[in-house]
Amino acid sequence: MARHQPHLLVPLPTGDDPVPVDQETRHHLEKALRFDTGLVTYTDGEGLVGEGVYEHGMVIRGDETLVPRPDLITVAVAPPHSNSRVRFVVEKLAELGVSQLVWLQAKHGQGRPPRSDKSRAWVRSALEQSRGAWLMEVHGLVPVPGLGEFGTPIFADPSGATVDELPAIDKPVLCIGPEGGFGRDEVPETAARLRLGATILRVETAAIAGAVLLRGSEMGPPPWHSTGKT
Amino acid sequence: MARHQPHLLVPLPTGDDPVPVDQETRHHLEKALRFDTGLVTYTDGEGLVGEGVYEHGMVIRGDETLVPRPDLITVAVAPPHSNSRVRFVVEKLAELGVSQLVWLQAKHGQGRPPRSDKSRAWVRSALEQSRGAWLMEVHGLVPVPGLGEFGTPIFADPSGATVDELPAIDKPVLCIGPEGGFGRDEVPETAARLRLGATILRVETAAIAGAVLLRGSEMGPPPWHSTGKT
């Protein structure tokens, strides 16, 4: 039934020697997917992608391409209070091709960022699942005044502009506050504000909706991977 | 810390007598939120919303408004194979104000729709959370040929049109296939196709991204509820 070739994140040193996958990936491929050998695609998470052959723990490298870094999209999110919702934020933003996730330290924040080993595993699995070429970076906690380092903050706000009304912004950092909202003095008065729609969204839903609106549907899939359709 | 007034789904018979909330809602309000009495908003899930007072299991009705039914957005989804992802589809589409969720019976589908009592509870909780006025309907399983009953099918497809290129469609039914894609003969050749972006998305992420793209960010929040900001 699975018609996708596996897509693997592997370190890609200079040269073309076969590269080993880690134990966990090997276990997943061979035990869970019963995939001992066959065609795969692979990436270093920094734009280099290739089509090769997997054989017993090794990737034999084939044709490789460098996928240009997509436009930088950064989403800053106050961690929701439940672990499953935190995981959802990480996984979905990575799947959607967001470049950077910044955990936002908000005055009324109720949750905490995930452990970094968990976070890395979720990002990796989303990259492999979505057949991406660029690994999402995760930063934080960062308070609102520290966001300037990542780009120009845009705050999700029901009274804000629609995405079409928003002026062009070079390195947008979409900021999603905690359930209770930002504190009164927390958001600079002159900051840009984006409306996410007609309903009040949970933190994780707002993060995803905001990423989708910023990202749009303009770009097609990169040419180097199969669509998995029959 | 909670600055939202509770928003409650209650049956609203003709007249203005106080209405009782069910045991579960009462338990949630009084035990979890320690909310014995106070201002609330409420809705019948069919557009009628009001601001009133909650007192020990009863809602004393106040000013009421009829919120017009928003443009019909229907999303048809092949159930993902894990229960948490099925729940996510229901909860997030309801939060986003999708009118109808149709579980799609696809040739290569791997999951099953949730039990209807669970589904109803998730929809309800999302409506209360998002302060909505219209309860999302859930239908299915429905095979592709049966979708015409709900409107005009648009299939999520990496080779499809962007949302801006899509012709205006009166009652769109966005169709999200299973992980392995639709079968070769399953999608009518003449059907409209929508591209959801540059990465391959999991079923639940595609459903949410598609709903956001169809819905846009045009509408502001309905005027009758607070934004919950400090």
Side-chain angles (χ1 to χ4, degrees), chain A residues 3 85 88 91-92 95 108 129-130 162-163 179-180 182 184 195-200 202 204-205 215 217-219 222 228 230, chain B residues 3 85 88 91-92 95 108 129-130 162-164 179-180 182 195-200 202 204-205 215 217-219 221-222 228 230:
Chain A
R3 277 170 300 275
R85 294 179 192 278
F88 215 81
E91 181 179 306
K92 295 314 169 207
E95 258 181 71
H108 302 309
Q129 177 72 32
S130 62
T162 66
V163 73
E179 293 289 335
F182 285 108
R184 198 181 283 280
R195 178 184 311 172
L196 298 180
T199 52
I200 299 294
R202 281 177 184 271
E204 69 280 7
T205 321
R215 161 187 185 274
S217 66
E218 283 65 29
M219 298 174 294
T230 49
Chain B
R3 279 171 299 276
R85 295 180 192 278
F88 217 80
E91 181 179 306
K92 294 315 170 207
E95 258 181 70
H108 301 310
Q129 177 72 32
S130 62
T162 67
V163 74
D164 300 323
E179 293 289 335
F182 285 107
R195 179 184 310 173
L196 298 179
T199 52
I200 300 294
R202 280 177 186 269
E204 70 279 8
T205 321
R215 162 189 186 272
S217 66
E218 283 64 29
M219 298 175 294
T230 49

Short mmCIF file of all heavy atoms in Angstrom, two decimals, chain A residues 3 85 88 91-92 95 108 129-130 162-163 179-180 182 184 195-200 202 204-205 215 217-219 222 228 230, chain B residues 3 85 88 91-92 95 108 129-130 162-164 179-180 182 195-200 202 204-205 215 217-219 221-222 228 230:
data_model
loop_
_atom_site.label_atom_id
_atom_site.label_comp_id
_atom_site.label_asym_id
_atom_site.label_seq_id
_atom_site.Cartn_x
_atom_site.Cartn_y
_atom_site.Cartn_z
N ARG A 3 3.16 3.69 -1.23
CA ARG A 3 3.72 3.92 -2.55
C ARG A 3 4.82 4.98 -2.52
O ARG A 3 5.40 5.31 -3.53
CB ARG A 3 2.62 4.32 -3.52
CG ARG A 3 1.89 3.12 -4.09
CD ARG A 3 0.68 3.57 -4.85
NE ARG A 3 -0.20 4.29 -3.96
CZ ARG A 3 -1.09 3.69 -3.18
NH1 ARG A 3 -1.23 2.41 -3.20
NH2 ARG A 3 -1.86 4.40 -2.39
N ARG A 85 -0.18 19.25 22.19
CA ARG A 85 -0.35 20.45 21.37
C ARG A 85 1.01 21.09 21.04
O ARG A 85 1.19 21.63 19.95
CB ARG A 85 -1.29 21.45 22.06
CG ARG A 85 -2.70 20.89 22.17
CD ARG A 85 -3.71 21.77 22.86
NE ARG A 85 -4.90 21.01 23.16
CZ ARG A 85 -5.89 20.76 22.29
NH1 ARG A 85 -5.83 21.25 21.08
NH2 ARG A 85 -6.92 20.03 22.63
N PHE A 88 2.30 19.05 18.28
CA PHE A 88 1.58 19.39 17.06
C PHE A 88 2.15 20.63 16.39
O PHE A 88 2.29 20.70 15.17
CB PHE A 88 0.12 19.60 17.41
CG PHE A 88 -0.70 19.13 16.30
CD1 PHE A 88 -0.97 17.78 16.17
CD2 PHE A 88 -1.15 20.00 15.33
CE1 PHE A 88 -1.69 17.32 15.08
CE2 PHE A 88 -1.86 19.54 14.27
CZ PHE A 88 -2.14 18.19 14.13
N GLU A 91 5.53 19.62 14.76
CA GLU A 91 5.37 18.71 13.64
C GLU A 91 4.72 19.38 12.44
O GLU A 91 5.18 19.24 11.29
CB GLU A 91 4.53 17.52 14.12
CG GLU A 91 4.30 16.47 13.09
CD GLU A 91 3.47 15.31 13.64
OE1 GLU A 91 3.85 14.74 14.69
OE2 GLU A 91 2.43 14.99 13.03
N LYS A 92 3.65 20.12 12.68
CA LYS A 92 2.91 20.71 11.57
C LYS A 92 3.68 21.86 10.91
O LYS A 92 3.67 22.00 9.69
CB LYS A 92 1.54 21.21 12.03
CG LYS A 92 0.62 20.09 12.48
CD LYS A 92 0.66 18.94 11.49
CE LYS A 92 -0.01 17.70 11.95
NZ LYS A 92 0.59 16.50 11.30
N GLU A 95 6.29 20.29 8.78
CA GLU A 95 5.68 19.73 7.56
C GLU A 95 5.36 20.81 6.53
O GLU A 95 5.47 20.59 5.33
CB GLU A 95 4.34 19.08 7.92
CG GLU A 95 4.35 17.58 8.01
CD GLU A 95 2.95 17.09 8.33
OE1 GLU A 95 2.07 17.16 7.47
OE2 GLU A 95 2.74 16.66 9.47
N HIS A 108 1.75 36.00 29.79
CA HIS A 108 0.70 35.11 30.27
C HIS A 108 0.85 33.69 29.75
O HIS A 108 -0.12 32.94 29.71
CB HIS A 108 -0.67 35.67 29.88
CG HIS A 108 -0.93 37.04 30.40
ND1 HIS A 108 -0.75 37.38 31.73
CD2 HIS A 108 -1.34 38.17 29.78
CE1 HIS A 108 -1.05 38.66 31.89
NE2 HIS A 108 -1.40 39.17 30.72
N GLN A 129 8.74 12.81 6.41
CA GLN A 129 7.36 12.60 5.99
C GLN A 129 6.99 13.52 4.82
O GLN A 129 6.32 13.12 3.88
CB GLN A 129 6.46 12.91 7.20
CG GLN A 129 4.99 12.81 6.94
CD GLN A 129 4.55 11.37 6.79
OE1 GLN A 129 5.11 10.47 7.39
NE2 GLN A 129 3.56 11.14 5.95
N SER A 130 7.40 14.79 4.92
CA SER A 130 6.97 15.77 3.92
C SER A 130 7.97 15.85 2.76
O SER A 130 7.81 16.67 1.87
CB SER A 130 6.81 17.14 4.57
OG SER A 130 8.03 17.59 5.10
N THR A 162 -5.86 41.64 6.83
CA THR A 162 -5.87 40.33 6.19
C THR A 162 -4.52 40.14 5.52
O THR A 162 -3.74 41.09 5.37
CB THR A 162 -6.96 40.22 5.12
OG1 THR A 162 -6.63 41.11 4.05
CG2 THR A 162 -8.33 40.58 5.67
N VAL A 163 -4.25 38.93 5.09
CA VAL A 163 -2.94 38.65 4.52
C VAL A 163 -2.74 39.44 3.22
O VAL A 163 -1.62 39.83 2.89
CB VAL A 163 -2.75 37.12 4.35
CG1 VAL A 163 -3.57 36.58 3.21
CG2 VAL A 163 -1.29 36.76 4.19
N GLU A 179 -2.91 31.35 25.14
CA GLU A 179 -4.38 31.29 25.18
C GLU A 179 -4.99 32.60 25.70
O GLU A 179 -5.97 33.09 25.17
CB GLU A 179 -4.86 30.14 26.10
CG GLU A 179 -4.57 28.73 25.60
CD GLU A 179 -5.38 28.28 24.39
OE1 GLU A 179 -6.49 28.81 24.18
OE2 GLU A 179 -4.90 27.42 23.64
N GLY A 180 -4.40 33.16 26.74
CA GLY A 180 -4.98 34.36 27.34
C GLY A 180 -4.63 35.64 26.59
O GLY A 180 -5.04 36.71 26.99
N PHE A 182 -1.71 38.31 24.53
CA PHE A 182 -0.54 39.05 24.98
C PHE A 182 -0.94 40.03 26.08
O PHE A 182 -2.09 40.45 26.16
CB PHE A 182 0.06 39.85 23.81
CG PHE A 182 0.80 39.00 22.82
CD1 PHE A 182 0.28 38.75 21.56
CD2 PHE A 182 2.04 38.46 23.14
CE1 PHE A 182 0.96 37.98 20.63
CE2 PHE A 182 2.74 37.68 22.22
CZ PHE A 182 2.19 37.44 20.97
N ARG A 184 -0.98 43.74 27.92
CA ARG A 184 -1.30 45.04 27.32
C ARG A 184 -0.07 45.77 26.78
O ARG A 184 -0.12 46.39 25.73
CB ARG A 184 -2.03 45.92 28.35
CG ARG A 184 -2.77 47.08 27.76
CD ARG A 184 -3.45 47.92 28.83
NE ARG A 184 -4.67 47.28 29.32
CZ ARG A 184 -5.84 47.34 28.66
NH1 ARG A 184 -5.93 47.95 27.52
NH2 ARG A 184 -6.91 46.78 29.17
N ARG A 195 -4.78 39.25 10.79
CA ARG A 195 -6.02 38.61 11.21
C ARG A 195 -6.03 37.17 10.66
O ARG A 195 -5.73 36.97 9.48
CB ARG A 195 -7.17 39.42 10.58
CG ARG A 195 -8.55 38.93 10.82
CD ARG A 195 -9.54 39.82 10.04
NE ARG A 195 -9.24 41.24 10.28
CZ ARG A 195 -9.83 42.25 9.63
NH1 ARG A 195 -10.72 42.02 8.70
NH2 ARG A 195 -9.51 43.50 9.90
N LEU A 196 -6.35 36.22 11.48
CA LEU A 196 -6.31 34.83 11.02
C LEU A 196 -7.69 34.29 10.66
O LEU A 196 -7.79 33.13 10.26
CB LEU A 196 -5.65 33.94 12.06
CG LEU A 196 -4.19 34.25 12.39
CD1 LEU A 196 -3.64 33.30 13.44
CD2 LEU A 196 -3.33 34.21 11.13
N GLY A 197 -8.74 35.10 10.81
CA GLY A 197 -10.05 34.63 10.39
C GLY A 197 -11.13 34.90 11.40
O GLY A 197 -10.92 35.63 12.37
N ALA A 198 -12.29 34.29 11.16
CA ALA A 198 -13.50 34.67 11.87
C ALA A 198 -13.67 34.01 13.22
O ALA A 198 -14.51 34.40 14.00
CB ALA A 198 -14.71 34.35 11.00
N THR A 199 -12.89 32.98 13.50
CA THR A 199 -13.09 32.28 14.77
C THR A 199 -11.86 32.42 15.65
O THR A 199 -10.77 32.70 15.17
CB THR A 199 -13.42 30.79 14.53
OG1 THR A 199 -12.41 30.23 13.68
CG2 THR A 199 -14.78 30.61 13.88
N ILE A 200 -12.07 32.25 16.93
CA ILE A 200 -10.97 32.28 17.89
C ILE A 200 -10.27 30.93 17.82
O ILE A 200 -10.90 29.90 17.98
CB ILE A 200 -11.52 32.49 19.32
CG1 ILE A 200 -12.28 33.82 19.41
CG2 ILE A 200 -10.40 32.43 20.35
CD1 ILE A 200 -11.44 35.05 19.24
N ARG A 202 -7.26 28.08 18.86
CA ARG A 202 -6.28 27.66 19.85
C ARG A 202 -4.89 28.03 19.35
O ARG A 202 -4.68 28.21 18.14
CB ARG A 202 -6.34 26.15 20.04
CG ARG A 202 -7.48 25.67 20.91
CD ARG A 202 -7.45 24.16 20.92
NE ARG A 202 -8.55 23.60 21.64
CZ ARG A 202 -8.53 23.34 22.96
NH1 ARG A 202 -7.46 23.60 23.68
NH2 ARG A 202 -9.59 22.84 23.54
N GLU A 204 -2.16 26.32 18.80
CA GLU A 204 -1.54 25.48 17.77
C GLU A 204 -2.26 25.65 16.43
O GLU A 204 -1.64 25.59 15.37
CB GLU A 204 -1.49 24.01 18.20
CG GLU A 204 -2.81 23.27 18.29
CD GLU A 204 -3.58 23.55 19.58
OE1 GLU A 204 -3.16 24.44 20.35
OE2 GLU A 204 -4.61 22.88 19.80
N THR A 205 -3.58 25.89 16.48
CA THR A 205 -4.33 26.08 15.24
C THR A 205 -3.95 27.42 14.61
O THR A 205 -3.80 27.53 13.39
CB THR A 205 -5.84 26.03 15.52
OG1 THR A 205 -6.10 25.02 16.48
CG2 THR A 205 -6.63 25.76 14.25
N ARG A 215 2.48 31.41 3.76
CA ARG A 215 3.15 30.55 2.79
C ARG A 215 2.37 30.46 1.50
O ARG A 215 2.94 30.39 0.41
CB ARG A 215 3.26 29.18 3.47
CG ARG A 215 3.50 27.97 2.66
CD ARG A 215 3.37 26.80 3.63
NE ARG A 215 3.69 25.52 3.06
CZ ARG A 215 2.83 24.76 2.39
NH1 ARG A 215 1.63 25.17 2.16
NH2 ARG A 215 3.22 23.59 1.95
N SER A 217 -0.22 28.96 -1.47
CA SER A 217 -0.18 27.66 -2.16
C SER A 217 0.56 27.82 -3.49
O SER A 217 0.45 27.00 -4.38
CB SER A 217 -1.59 27.15 -2.41
OG SER A 217 -2.27 27.99 -3.31
N GLU A 218 1.34 28.91 -3.59
CA GLU A 218 1.95 29.26 -4.88
C GLU A 218 2.92 28.21 -5.40
O GLU A 218 2.93 27.86 -6.55
CB GLU A 218 2.67 30.62 -4.79
CG GLU A 218 1.70 31.80 -4.82
CD GLU A 218 0.79 31.85 -3.60
OE1 GLU A 218 1.20 31.39 -2.53
OE2 GLU A 218 -0.35 32.34 -3.73
N MET A 219 3.78 27.74 -4.53
CA MET A 219 4.84 26.87 -5.00
C MET A 219 4.37 25.44 -5.22
O MET A 219 3.65 24.89 -4.41
CB MET A 219 5.99 26.86 -3.99
CG MET A 219 6.60 28.22 -3.79
SD MET A 219 7.84 28.21 -2.47
CE MET A 219 6.82 27.86 -1.03
N PRO A 222 8.80 20.40 -5.11
CA PRO A 222 10.10 20.38 -5.78
C PRO A 222 10.12 19.24 -6.80
O PRO A 222 9.53 18.18 -6.58
CB PRO A 222 11.09 20.13 -4.65
CG PRO A 222 10.31 19.82 -3.44
CD PRO A 222 8.91 20.25 -3.67
N GLY A 228 3.93 10.46 -4.98
CA GLY A 228 3.35 9.35 -4.23
C GLY A 228 1.98 8.96 -4.71
O GLY A 228 1.31 8.14 -4.11
N THR A 230 -0.74 7.18 -7.21
CA THR A 230 -0.71 6.02 -8.10
C THR A 230 -1.06 6.47 -9.50
O THR A 230 -1.81 7.40 -9.68
CB THR A 230 -1.74 4.96 -7.68
OG1 THR A 230 -2.99 5.60 -7.49
CG2 THR A 230 -1.28 4.28 -6.45
N ARG B 3 -9.06 34.89 30.76
CA ARG B 3 -9.78 36.14 30.56
C ARG B 3 -10.98 35.96 29.64
O ARG B 3 -11.72 36.89 29.40
CB ARG B 3 -8.85 37.22 30.03
CG ARG B 3 -8.04 37.87 31.14
CD ARG B 3 -6.98 38.76 30.55
NE ARG B 3 -6.09 37.98 29.74
CZ ARG B 3 -5.06 37.30 30.22
NH1 ARG B 3 -4.77 37.34 31.50
NH2 ARG B 3 -4.31 36.58 29.42
N ARG B 85 -4.86 11.61 15.15
CA ARG B 85 -4.91 12.42 13.93
C ARG B 85 -6.35 12.59 13.45
O ARG B 85 -6.72 13.64 12.93
CB ARG B 85 -4.02 11.81 12.85
CG ARG B 85 -2.55 11.87 13.27
CD ARG B 85 -1.58 11.29 12.27
NE ARG B 85 -0.27 11.13 12.88
CZ ARG B 85 0.63 12.12 13.00
NH1 ARG B 85 0.38 13.30 12.51
NH2 ARG B 85 1.77 11.91 13.60
N PHE B 88 -7.72 15.25 15.60
CA PHE B 88 -7.18 16.52 15.16
C PHE B 88 -7.94 17.11 13.99
O PHE B 88 -8.21 18.30 13.93
CB PHE B 88 -5.71 16.33 14.78
CG PHE B 88 -4.96 17.50 15.19
CD1 PHE B 88 -4.56 17.66 16.49
CD2 PHE B 88 -4.71 18.50 14.27
CE1 PHE B 88 -3.90 18.81 16.87
CE2 PHE B 88 -4.05 19.64 14.65
CZ PHE B 88 -3.64 19.79 15.95
N GLU B 91 -11.35 18.37 15.35
CA GLU B 91 -11.22 19.53 16.24
C GLU B 91 -10.77 20.78 15.49
O GLU B 91 -11.34 21.86 15.66
CB GLU B 91 -10.19 19.16 17.32
CG GLU B 91 -9.95 20.25 18.34
CD GLU B 91 -8.94 19.79 19.40
OE1 GLU B 91 -9.17 18.73 20.02
OE2 GLU B 91 -7.94 20.51 19.60
N LYS B 92 -9.78 20.62 14.63
CA LYS B 92 -9.23 21.80 13.95
C LYS B 92 -10.19 22.35 12.90
O LYS B 92 -10.33 23.56 12.75
CB LYS B 92 -7.88 21.48 13.31
CG LYS B 92 -6.79 21.16 14.32
CD LYS B 92 -6.82 22.15 15.45
CE LYS B 92 -5.96 21.79 16.61
NZ LYS B 92 -6.48 22.37 17.88
N GLU B 95 -12.83 24.23 14.73
CA GLU B 95 -12.30 25.51 15.21
C GLU B 95 -12.22 26.55 14.09
O GLU B 95 -12.45 27.74 14.30
CB GLU B 95 -10.86 25.32 15.71
CG GLU B 95 -10.72 25.24 17.19
CD GLU B 95 -9.24 25.08 17.53
OE1 GLU B 95 -8.47 26.03 17.36
OE2 GLU B 95 -8.86 23.98 17.95
N HIS B 108 -7.76 3.53 -1.21
CA HIS B 108 -6.57 3.18 -0.45
C HIS B 108 -6.61 3.71 0.99
O HIS B 108 -5.57 3.87 1.63
CB HIS B 108 -5.31 3.71 -1.14
CG HIS B 108 -5.14 3.18 -2.54
ND1 HIS B 108 -5.20 1.85 -2.83
CD2 HIS B 108 -4.94 3.82 -3.72
CE1 HIS B 108 -5.04 1.67 -4.12
NE2 HIS B 108 -4.88 2.86 -4.69
N GLN B 129 -14.70 26.48 22.40
CA GLN B 129 -13.36 27.03 22.45
C GLN B 129 -13.20 28.21 21.47
O GLN B 129 -12.61 29.23 21.79
CB GLN B 129 -12.37 25.92 22.06
CG GLN B 129 -10.93 26.33 22.00
CD GLN B 129 -10.35 26.57 23.38
OE1 GLN B 129 -10.75 25.92 24.33
NE2 GLN B 129 -9.45 27.52 23.49
N SER B 130 -13.75 28.04 20.27
CA SER B 130 -13.55 29.06 19.24
C SER B 130 -14.66 30.10 19.26
O SER B 130 -14.69 30.99 18.43
CB SER B 130 -13.47 28.39 17.86
OG SER B 130 -14.67 27.72 17.57
N THR B 162 -3.35 27.03 -7.85
CA THR B 162 -3.27 27.70 -6.56
C THR B 162 -4.65 28.23 -6.23
O THR B 162 -5.55 28.28 -7.09
CB THR B 162 -2.29 28.88 -6.59
OG1 THR B 162 -2.83 29.89 -7.45
CG2 THR B 162 -0.93 28.47 -7.09
N VAL B 163 -4.84 28.64 -5.00
CA VAL B 163 -6.16 29.09 -4.57
C VAL B 163 -6.59 30.34 -5.35
O VAL B 163 -7.77 30.54 -5.62
CB VAL B 163 -6.21 29.27 -3.03
CG1 VAL B 163 -5.47 30.50 -2.58
CG2 VAL B 163 -7.62 29.25 -2.52
N ASP B 164 -5.62 31.15 -5.78
CA ASP B 164 -5.95 32.34 -6.56
C ASP B 164 -6.34 32.00 -7.99
O ASP B 164 -7.09 32.75 -8.64
CB ASP B 164 -4.78 33.32 -6.59
CG ASP B 164 -4.40 33.77 -5.19
OD1 ASP B 164 -5.33 33.94 -4.36
OD2 ASP B 164 -3.20 33.92 -4.91
N GLU B 179 -3.15 8.74 2.85
CA GLU B 179 -1.67 8.86 2.75
C GLU B 179 -1.16 8.39 1.39
O GLU B 179 -0.31 9.01 0.78
CB GLU B 179 -0.97 8.03 3.84
CG GLU B 179 -1.17 8.50 5.28
CD GLU B 179 -0.45 9.80 5.62
OE1 GLU B 179 0.56 10.14 4.97
OE2 GLU B 179 -0.92 10.50 6.54
N GLY B 180 -1.69 7.26 0.91
CA GLY B 180 -1.19 6.71 -0.34
C GLY B 180 -1.75 7.38 -1.59
O GLY B 180 -1.43 6.98 -2.70
N PHE B 182 -5.18 9.07 -3.92
CA PHE B 182 -6.36 8.49 -4.53
C PHE B 182 -5.95 7.42 -5.53
O PHE B 182 -4.84 7.45 -6.07
CB PHE B 182 -7.17 9.56 -5.27
CG PHE B 182 -7.93 10.48 -4.36
CD1 PHE B 182 -7.52 11.79 -4.17
CD2 PHE B 182 -9.07 10.04 -3.70
CE1 PHE B 182 -8.21 12.64 -3.33
CE2 PHE B 182 -9.77 10.88 -2.86
CZ PHE B 182 -9.34 12.19 -2.67
N ARG B 195 -3.73 23.02 -5.32
CA ARG B 195 -2.38 22.75 -4.82
C ARG B 195 -2.28 23.34 -3.40
O ARG B 195 -2.69 24.47 -3.18
CB ARG B 195 -1.43 23.49 -5.75
CG ARG B 195 0.03 23.41 -5.45
CD ARG B 195 0.81 24.28 -6.44
NE ARG B 195 0.40 23.98 -7.81
CZ ARG B 195 0.80 24.65 -8.89
NH1 ARG B 195 1.60 25.71 -8.75
NH2 ARG B 195 0.39 24.31 -10.08
N LEU B 196 -1.77 22.57 -2.49
CA LEU B 196 -1.71 23.05 -1.10
C LEU B 196 -0.33 23.56 -0.71
O LEU B 196 -0.13 23.98 0.42
CB LEU B 196 -2.16 21.96 -0.13
CG LEU B 196 -3.61 21.48 -0.29
CD1 LEU B 196 -3.92 20.39 0.70
CD2 LEU B 196 -4.58 22.63 -0.13
N GLY B 197 0.63 23.53 -1.64
CA GLY B 197 1.93 24.10 -1.32
C GLY B 197 3.07 23.21 -1.70
O GLY B 197 2.91 22.22 -2.40
N ALA B 198 4.27 23.59 -1.21
CA ALA B 198 5.50 22.99 -1.74
C ALA B 198 5.88 21.69 -1.07
O ALA B 198 6.75 20.99 -1.55
CB ALA B 198 6.63 23.98 -1.59
N THR B 199 5.27 21.35 0.04
CA THR B 199 5.69 20.12 0.72
C THR B 199 4.55 19.10 0.72
O THR B 199 3.39 19.45 0.54
CB THR B 199 6.13 20.42 2.17
OG1 THR B 199 5.10 21.16 2.82
CG2 THR B 199 7.42 21.21 2.21
N ILE B 200 4.92 17.86 0.87
CA ILE B 200 3.93 16.79 0.96
C ILE B 200 3.38 16.81 2.38
O ILE B 200 4.14 16.75 3.34
CB ILE B 200 4.61 15.42 0.70
CG1 ILE B 200 5.24 15.39 -0.68
CG2 ILE B 200 3.64 14.28 0.90
CD1 ILE B 200 4.25 15.46 -1.81
N ARG B 202 0.83 15.50 5.55
CA ARG B 202 0.01 14.43 6.09
C ARG B 202 -1.46 14.77 5.88
O ARG B 202 -1.82 15.94 5.72
CB ARG B 202 0.25 14.30 7.59
CG ARG B 202 1.51 13.54 7.95
CD ARG B 202 1.65 13.56 9.47
NE ARG B 202 2.90 12.98 9.88
CZ ARG B 202 3.06 11.68 10.18
NH1 ARG B 202 2.05 10.85 10.11
NH2 ARG B 202 4.23 11.23 10.55
N GLU B 204 -4.03 15.05 7.89
CA GLU B 204 -4.67 16.03 8.78
C GLU B 204 -4.12 17.43 8.53
O GLU B 204 -4.84 18.42 8.64
CB GLU B 204 -4.52 15.62 10.25
CG GLU B 204 -3.11 15.70 10.84
CD GLU B 204 -2.25 14.48 10.47
OE1 GLU B 204 -2.67 13.65 9.65
OE2 GLU B 204 -1.13 14.40 11.02
N THR B 205 -2.85 17.52 8.13
CA THR B 205 -2.26 18.83 7.86
C THR B 205 -2.83 19.39 6.56
O THR B 205 -3.14 20.59 6.46
CB THR B 205 -0.73 18.72 7.73
OG1 THR B 205 -0.25 17.81 8.72
CG2 THR B 205 -0.07 20.07 7.92
N ARG B 215 -10.81 29.43 3.22
CA ARG B 215 -11.48 30.34 4.13
C ARG B 215 -10.84 31.71 4.12
O ARG B 215 -11.50 32.72 4.25
CB ARG B 215 -11.38 29.66 5.50
CG ARG B 215 -11.58 30.45 6.73
CD ARG B 215 -11.18 29.52 7.88
NE ARG B 215 -11.44 30.07 9.19
CZ ARG B 215 -10.60 30.83 9.86
NH1 ARG B 215 -9.46 31.17 9.32
NH2 ARG B 215 -10.89 31.25 11.07
N SER B 217 -8.44 34.93 5.30
CA SER B 217 -8.41 35.64 6.59
C SER B 217 -9.30 36.86 6.50
O SER B 217 -9.20 37.78 7.28
CB SER B 217 -6.98 36.05 6.93
OG SER B 217 -6.51 37.01 6.01
N GLU B 218 -10.20 36.86 5.51
CA GLU B 218 -10.98 38.06 5.22
C GLU B 218 -11.88 38.50 6.37
O GLU B 218 -11.96 39.67 6.71
CB GLU B 218 -11.83 37.86 3.96
CG GLU B 218 -11.04 37.97 2.66
CD GLU B 218 -9.97 36.88 2.50
OE1 GLU B 218 -10.18 35.77 3.04
OE2 GLU B 218 -8.93 37.14 1.90
N MET B 219 -12.59 37.54 6.95
CA MET B 219 -13.59 37.91 7.92
C MET B 219 -12.99 38.21 9.29
O MET B 219 -12.12 37.49 9.75
CB MET B 219 -14.59 36.78 8.07
CG MET B 219 -15.33 36.48 6.79
SD MET B 219 -16.40 35.02 6.96
CE MET B 219 -15.19 33.73 7.21
N PRO B 221 -13.62 38.75 13.51
CA PRO B 221 -14.41 37.97 14.45
C PRO B 221 -15.82 38.56 14.54
O PRO B 221 -15.99 39.76 14.36
CB PRO B 221 -13.67 38.15 15.77
CG PRO B 221 -12.93 39.43 15.62
CD PRO B 221 -12.61 39.58 14.17
N PRO B 222 -16.82 37.74 14.79
CA PRO B 222 -18.16 38.28 14.96
C PRO B 222 -18.16 39.31 16.10
O PRO B 222 -17.41 39.17 17.06
CB PRO B 222 -19.00 37.05 15.31
CG PRO B 222 -18.07 35.93 15.56
CD PRO B 222 -16.75 36.29 14.97
N GLY B 228 -10.81 38.39 24.14
CA GLY B 228 -10.03 37.71 25.16
C GLY B 228 -8.67 38.35 25.41
O GLY B 228 -7.87 37.82 26.14
N THR B 230 -6.15 41.21 26.94
CA THR B 230 -6.16 42.09 28.12
C THR B 230 -6.08 43.53 27.68
O THR B 230 -5.48 43.84 26.66
CB THR B 230 -4.95 41.80 29.03
OG1 THR B 230 -3.77 41.78 28.22
CG2 THR B 230 -5.12 40.48 29.71
#
